[in-house]
Amino acid sequence: MIHTLTLNPALDKTVVIPHFQTDTVNRIRTLRLDPGGKGINVSKVIRKMGGISRATALLGGSTGRQIQEMLEHEGIEVDVISVPGQTRTNLKIIDPETKTNTDINESGQPLTPEQTEAAFRHFTEQLQEGDLAVLAGSVPAGVPHDIYARYIRVCRDRGVKVFLDADGALFAEGVQAAPYLIKPNQDELSRFVGTPLTMLEEIRGAADSLLARGITKVVVSMGGRGRCMSPVKPACMHRRFRFR
């Protein structure tokens, strides 16, 4: 079973506003609502590819119920961890004329230490050897930066492969626990090593340093340049990285 975990989900409201401007009234051309959060997005992609996953998410209030209903309508198994308050709503403004995208994200309801521990137990107790766990995205206020590292260590002890997609301190702490796969983007990897990475050799060197920490696979997404994978099969021109 593939388990995805979203500790800070959101209802994504995407609006299209031609010639968007500040300090004035803007008219929305179209509006779309989507259940969001990195872990949830992974489950949505798995479903579209014909696969099965269980999407565990911390959901609260009417917004949380709406997200649950939308995911179930898409045929995704939803494992709800109920939390107080309303699940956050994020606003994404797209201006097709200027080709800009503006994200306005809420931080999400804070969690107490007790709520954080309850969610930890809920998720880890259902894992079985051979499962795959995807830990992705931000966390609410009040959740310690080593939370993903804790999940990773328990998963490894139970024979569960972990894919980690996070940023900042969450990523840095998670790397210390050596998940099976990590997927930073180019900017996130640059922040982790503390220097801008622009050249292929620089990115490869940073990825190699992560492999040396016991991580099996490193995938660096690079926007319009594609992605960089390490290691790759020998058939790929005998190179350690592949771009698509």
Side-chain angles (χ1 to χ4, degrees), residues 6-156:
T6 308
L7 294 176
N8 202 19
L11 181 65
D12 288 337
K13 179 183 292 186
T14 302
V15 297
V16 175
I17 304 177
H19 303 291
F20 171 71
Q21 296 181 355
T22 60
D23 295 325
T24 188
V25 175
N26 292 272
R27 302 295 181 186
I28 295 174
R29 174 185 290 176
T30 61
L31 182 151
R32 188 181 75 243
L33 295 176
D34 297 287
K38 280 189 174 181
I40 285 175
N41 289 340
V42 171
S43 282
K44 288 162 64 177
V45 171
I46 291 172
R47 181 68 184 90
K48 289 180 180 179
M49 295 177 66
I52 298 173
S53 70
R54 177 181 294 130
T56 300
L58 276 63
L59 299 175
S62 58
T63 305
R65 289 192 294 273
Q66 184 175 4
I67 291 173
Q68 179 181 359
E69 292 169 359
M70 294 171 76
L71 289 172
E72 290 175 343
H73 181 73
E74 293 184 34
I76 297 171
E77 180 182 347
V78 187
D79 175 32
V80 176
I81 301 176
S82 297
V83 293
Q86 287 284 349
T87 298
R88 63 184 180 143
T89 298
N90 292 338
L91 178 63
K92 302 179 183 298
I93 303 171
I94 298 175
D95 185 341
E97 302 299 328
T98 59
K99 296 180 173 56
T100 58
N101 292 269
T102 303
D103 288 358
I104 304 173
N105 292 346
E106 297 180 12
S107 59
Q109 291 289 329
L111 291 186
T112 66
E114 293 76 18
Q115 292 165 345
T116 301
E117 288 303 310
F120 180 83
R121 291 193 301 271
H122 178 100
F123 184 77
T124 55
E125 287 174 357
Q126 61 185 309
L127 300 174
Q128 299 181 12
E129 184 176 359
D131 286 349
L132 191 152
V134 179
L135 312 178
S138 64
V139 299
V143 176
H145 291 155
D146 68 345
I147 188 65
Y148 283 152
R150 291 186 57 205
Y151 278 101
I152 292 166
R153 293 187 181 101
V154 171
C155 288
R156 293 185 64 185

Side-chain angles (χ1 to χ4, degrees), residues 194-208:
T195 186
L197 302 173
T198 57
M199 304 299 293
L200 171 60
E201 291 303 317
E202 296 171 339
I203 297 170
R204 180 168 63 187
D208 282 344

